Amino acid sequence: MASQLTSSQRAWTAVKRGSPAKALALQDVPIPSKLVEGEVLVKVQAAALNPVGYKLMGTLPNFIARRPITVEHDLAGVIVDANGSEFSIGDEIIGFIPVQLQLKTRQGAITEYTRLPASNVTIRPPNITPTDACGIPLAGETAMQSLFDVGKLEPGQTVFINGGSSSVGAFAIQIAKARGCKVVASASGKNEDFVKSLGVDDFLDYTKAPIHKQLEDNPPSPKYHLIVDAVGLVNPSLYTHSEAYLAPGGVFVSTGPLPSFSWKGISDIVSTINEVFLRPSWLGGTKRTWKLVNVVHKKEDLYSLRDLLADGKLKPVVDSIFSFEDTLKAYDRIKTQRAKGKVVIRVDPKAD
Ligand SMILES: NC(=O)c1ccc[n+]([C@@H]2O[C@H](COP(=O)([O-])OP(=O)(O)OC[C@H]3O[C@@H](n4cnc5c(N)ncnc54)[C@H](OP(=O)(O)O)[C@@H]3O)[C@@H](O)[C@H]2O)c1
């Protein structure tokens, strides 16, 4: 089937290190003509951005990124070469190219065709459009792994999700509710209705007062079993004050503090390192466990997300949709850190 395609396609590739406006070029690149065993070739309908995309673009040295490299990780598309896998030509799928895989194959999501392992692909439920579905894998798997693999959350327990309107946070709320957990989440006041529409039991507006102060002044009873920071806070206060609102044995899961290059950002990250790694609880440090989630693709997580979507228990959250040509504008949007869910690229102009 691949041989019936034209040989070249357009892809957004990072050609050098820097901000998207500096680093990205829309290039003609070959359509992958050789698949290794277990891979499928996909015609991309829609792709979604994640903060890791622009963060790596701006930081990874060339000897690791081996630029030019096609960017981004989340996609929806159609199988055009099933390569002996369990899929068939024409299957409509959701796919995930994690960072480690992208660095190995130099394949990405904002491109007309891409190859990826069949194990990183699942059938898209027909009730969800490609533009709605494409942003599920990376943030959805991060949410699942934060809650259950790292956070060990059990049905009936309560989780506090810091950043309920972020992509990871919005998925974590819905997944935790679907597993029978109680969920409290924060966002700015303008996103209160949105976060409540996801099913939270309680809501905190972080613009009224720092969240750790609100929780110290009005501690939950019982205390939370888990806190998931779905923002990537650099300031450690929510963790260092957590004995007041996180149960003994409870875990604080961070999606990864990445400091800005400012004195405040650097001083905050030094405090976090000091609290988390250098001052254990027996030396007077915070008597709660701090853990970092680092998403790794798990086929069973992608399949669980697909089932939740099909059952209507997980609703995609899309902030905005941009055309393929307007990918740089999409990066401007995600970089505001104000997106309410996924920032999506409609790669195939005909995709819903
Ligand atoms: N470690 C991993 O494996 C992994 C995987 C995925 C993502 N991440 C990281 O997780 C973070 C979230 O990713 P994402 O894709 O979900 O981001 P995103 O969708 O771009 O997040 C934007 C949202 O964050 C909210 N927000 C910003 N500052 C906030 C604050 N102080 N308190 C509460 N909400 C706040 C904004 O709401 P308001 O407008 O209301 O402020 C906005 O809705 C990023 O740092 C990302 O790099 C890590």
Side-chain angles (χ1 to χ4, degrees):
M1 178 71 183
S3 60
Q4 295 168 13
L5 302 169
T6 54
S7 58
S8 121
Q9 60 163 332
R10 292 181 309 156
W12 281 95
T13 55
V15 292
K16 57 182 158 181
R17 184 166 61 174
S19 65
K22 264 175 50 189
L24 284 183
L26 181 54
Q27 290 193 321
D28 284 333
V29 301
I31 294 176
S33 56
K34 284 198 183 115
L35 303 179
V36 301
E37 199 184 332
E39 279 186 337
V40 292
L41 183 66
V42 172
K43 183 178 194 307
V44 179
Q45 296 168 301
L49 306 190
N50 284 282
V52 69
Y54 69 79
K55 287 178 183 175
L56 293 185
M57 216 179 285
T59 52
L60 265 196
N62 252 330
F63 72 91
I64 298 177
R66 297 185 298 135
R67 300 177 178 97
I69 182 170
T70 303
V71 292
E72 294 297 336
H73 312 280
D74 280 336
L75 60 108
V78 182
I79 301 279
V80 290
D81 188 343
N83 194 27
S85 68
E86 73 264 38
F87 295 99
S88 304
I89 290 174
D91 279 350
E92 304 216 37
I93 57 90
I94 309 170
F96 182 18
I97 302 174
V99 172
Q100 305 83 340
L101 179 66
Q102 179 205 26
L103 293 177
K104 190 168 145 207
T105 63
R106 296 163 69 230
Q107 298 292 303
I110 313 186
T111 183
E112 291 171 299
Y113 294 87
T114 196
R115 64 182 169 91
L116 72 169
S119 55
N120 289 40
V121 161
T122 187
I123 296 287
R124 170 171 58 80
N127 55 329
I128 312 289
T129 63
T131 50
D132 274 350
C134 66
I136 296 289
L138 191 152
E141 291 200 28
T142 306
M144 294 204 82
Q145 292 166 24
S146 300
L147 293 168
F148 307 120
D149 295 5
V150 185
K152 310 286 181 212
L153 190 68
E154 301 279 348
Q157 294 187 329
T158 307
V159 55
F160 177 73
I161 293 168
N162 188 56
S165 59
S166 75
S167 304
V168 173
F171 294 147
I173 290 170
Q174 299 181 72
I175 294 165
K177 289 303 294 179
R179 285 269 180 107
C181 301
K182 203 171 158 204
V183 181
V184 181
S186 68
S188 65
K190 70 178 187 309
N191 287 329
E192 178 169 353
D193 289 346
F194 168 68
V195 172
K196 284 185 170 167
S197 77
L198 301 173
V200 291
D201 298 279
D202 208 353
F203 173 83
L204 297 181
D205 176 354
Y206 75 85
T207 60
K208 287 190 173 154
I211 289 294
H212 69 274
K213 289 222 170 77
Q214 296 190 42
L215 291 172
E216 274 179 336
D217 291 349
N218 196 5
S221 177
K223 291 180 182 177
Y224 301 132
H225 298 93
L226 172 66
I227 295 175
V228 174
D229 169 27
V231 172
L233 291 177
V234 182
N235 184 298
S237 301
L238 188 61
Y239 169 65
T240 52
H241 292 77
S242 62
E243 284 169 50
Y245 41 83
L246 182 60
V251 181
F252 182 102
V253 176
S254 168
T255 49
L258 196 74
S260 57
F261 291 105
S262 63
W263 283 117
K264 171 94 177 79
I266 290 164
S267 127
D268 279 345
I269 199 73
V270 168
S271 304
T272 300
I273 291 167
N274 183 43
E275 273 305 321
V276 172
F277 300 109
L278 305 179
R279 211 158 72 91
S281 55
W282 54 271
L283 279 180
T286 308
K287 292 182 180 52
R288 296 293 181 270
T289 305
W290 185 98
K291 287 192 176 170
L292 183 68
V293 64
N294 184 16
V295 67
V296 287
H297 170 61
K298 287 168 61 190
K299 185 175 173 179
E300 61 269 32
D301 283 354
L302 190 59
Y303 277 51
S304 299
L305 290 164
R306 190 252 343 251
D307 292 345
L308 288 168
L309 284 170
D311 294 346
K313 292 181 178 158
L314 176 62
K315 298 217 169 12
V317 284
V318 172
D319 172 83
S320 42
I321 303 178
F322 293 83
S323 70
F324 189 58
E325 289 72 20
D326 276 344
T327 291
L328 291 179
K329 288 186 187 155
Y331 275 104
D332 288 343
R333 175 61 186 157
I334 194 172
K335 286 190 74 187
T336 62
Q337 299 181 337
R338 298 277 83 80
K340 206 168 71 181
K342 300 310 303 180
V343 176
V344 167
I345 311 290
R346 184 180 274 117
V347 176
D348 177 349
K350 294 196 285 290
D352 292 341

